[in-house]
Amino acid sequence: MPSTDRRAWQDVLARIEGDLVAGTIGPGDRLPPERTLATELGVGRSSVREALRVLEVLGLIRTQTGSGPRAGAIVVARPSGGMAALMRLHVAAGGFDVADVVATRLVLEAAVVTALAESRAVDLTAPAELLAAMDGELTTAEFLAIDAAFHVSLAAASGNDVIAAVMTGLRSSVEGYVLAGAAFVPSWELMAQRLRAEHRGIVAAIASHDAPRARTLVHDHITGYYADSKLAPLER
């Protein structure tokens, strides 16, 4: 019998967060259907939907309505707190200019890849998992969400939780602009191929401890997409 507790959705949230932390599910994986989660946890489907809304606001999943293999929720990031939602509100309210957000990304990501390339004990498992996830059959929105998670995973690999959280917020705050910019790209298929190749180049430069090349590649990667998608200029 489904629980009538008004906070039953928290049970669903705890289950999904536990699976994320334990590594049972990760970026690129789809969550079980609403009906399955409701049955397993003894809650109503409305509680499952409420939990999924919370996870989507936090930027951990993307949901797609309808039926068939593409419907449901896909994991696009690991838990990182509510900073992303806060920064999204600042950008939406005009408190943070998009160009300033992107310029800040350039500074942080250059520092991140430098630290990773100079480290002799770097673990690139999470970025590699996301690279593999981007090779799957994805919608543009799903691809860009996992793209964002890839950049955050590099920050997380640096071992600096603050930078990782800030990176999550920065990427999430402009996700709407990034997705909107995809409409200006002549061929999304070619763009996706290019972005995959650039991601792999960045990881390869880090793995070979070539910090100058890693910095150049990540700078060109970020500015290139913004230029090709006709988003806010980086220099004013």
Side-chain angles (χ1 to χ4, degrees):
M1 186 97 172
S3 170
T4 57
D5 185 350
R6 289 184 304 168
R7 298 190 178 277
W9 64 270
Q10 292 179 325
D11 294 335
V12 184
L13 192 64
R15 152 71 184 275
I16 295 172
E17 288 182 333
D19 287 345
L20 286 167
V21 172
T24 306
I25 55 175
D29 293 336
R30 292 187 182 277
L31 297 180
E34 286 182 9
R35 185 184 302 276
T36 300
L37 286 171
T39 300
E40 290 180 354
L41 297 174
V43 301
R45 292 183 68 176
S46 61
S47 296
V48 175
R49 287 192 289 270
E50 183 66 21
L52 295 182
R53 280 194 291 268
V54 171
L55 290 171
E56 191 161 24
V57 167
L58 291 176
L60 298 178
I61 66 170
R62 286 291 181 276
T63 59
Q64 186 164 315
T65 58
S67 59
R70 303 209 57 76
I74 183 172
V75 178
V76 296
R78 300 187 187 279
S80 60
M83 183 177 291
L86 178 62
M87 294 194 72
R88 276 202 304 271
L89 288 173
H90 274 290
V91 172
F96 293 151
D97 185 83
V98 175
D100 290 341
V101 172
V102 177
T104 303
R105 274 192 62 202
L106 290 171
V107 173
L108 285 179
E109 297 205 42
V112 164
V113 298
T114 297
L116 292 175
E118 291 178 348
S119 171
R120 294 294 166 180
V122 62
D123 183 359
L124 297 175
T125 301
E129 289 177 354
L130 287 160
L131 287 178
M134 277 186 278
D135 285 335
E137 185 179 346
L138 303 167
T139 65
T140 302
E142 289 171 345
F143 181 95
L144 289 173
I146 297 176
D147 178 302
F150 167 79
H151 286 267
V152 173
S153 76
L154 290 178
S158 73
N160 189 317
D161 292 337
V162 175
I163 289 182
V166 172
M167 278 294 305
T168 300
L170 289 173
R171 283 304 305 247
S172 180
S173 67
V174 294
E175 63 184 352
Y177 294 91
V178 171
L179 181 57
F184 294 96
V185 175
S187 170
W188 175 251
E189 182 178 354
L190 291 177
M191 172 60 79
Q193 290 176 3
R194 190 184 95 188
L195 294 177
R196 290 187 190 101
E198 290 174 352
H199 291 147
R200 288 189 166 84
I202 292 167
V203 171
I206 292 171
S208 63
H209 306 292
D210 189 341
R213 178 164 175 75
R215 285 194 298 271
T216 297
L217 289 176
V218 79
H219 179 277
D220 292 349
H221 172 68
I222 294 171
T223 57
Y225 181 81
Y226 274 80
D228 291 348
S229 58
K230 305 185 186 331
L231 292 172
L234 300 184
E235 296 182 2
R236 293 174 295 172

